[in-house]
Amino acid sequence: MTRSLFDLTFWLAAPVWALMILAPRWHRTQTIVASPLICVPPLLIYATLVLPEFGPFLSVLVNPNLPGLQAILASDAGAAAAWAHFVGFDLFVGRWIYFDSRARGIHPVPISGLLLFTILFAPLGVLAYLLIRLLPAHRPTPNQLTHAEA
């Protein structure tokens, strides 16, 4: 079952990523991505994997140390849970980049490439996007900002 959940995790998020990357201006993309609930499927998989092993996970997370974390992540449930965590949170961050870039008037072509990069290396994708936001051309006036501004 753990293997199936691992395999399913990305495929639950992939359609939303595809919309943001391949059809960023389609009116239905914005409607679908507007809901933060798009992140729920991978997070439910995370819960399904972690809750039965809550004690061992809690022990490692309350007192984090590299050997303990290595041990929990080396288990099937630990690796699959980490993957679900990555996918769910990366999707949430990708959603933020999508809306924030639209609010700033950044053209969707470079953002689509950045979102693809974010799927693979989310922390680097977020860092790259934060650097893009620093460019003078991408600093909106206060009345241009929407709920996407964080």
Side-chain angles (χ1 to χ4, degrees), residues 4-117:
S4 297
L5 291 173
F6 174 85
D7 292 340
L8 181 62
T9 300
F10 180 76
W11 295 113
L12 292 172
V16 180
W17 282 109
L19 288 172
M20 291 189 294
I21 293 167
L22 300 173
R25 291 185 171 162
W26 186 42
H27 69 281
R28 297 222 189 274
T29 298
Q30 186 166 352
T31 302
I32 292 166
V33 177
S35 174
L37 297 178
I38 61 172
C39 304
V40 167
L43 300 179
L44 287 174
I45 289 176
Y46 176 85
T48 300
L49 293 162
V50 169
L51 291 176
E53 302 290 327
F54 189 76
F57 276 91
L58 182 63
S59 175
V60 168
L61 296 174
V62 167
N63 184 22
N65 60 75
L66 187 56
L69 188 58
Q70 287 172 320
I72 199 82
L73 293 177
S75 71
D76 287 350
W83 180 242
H85 178 279
F86 299 157
V87 171
F89 278 56
D90 293 357
L91 183 57
F92 193 78
V93 168
R95 175 186 177 274
W96 172 75
I97 291 171
Y98 171 81
F99 279 115
D100 190 73
S101 66
R102 290 176 63 84
R104 292 170 184 278
I106 303 172
H107 197 277
V109 171
I111 294 304
S112 290
L114 181 68
L115 287 172
L116 183 59
F117 185 68

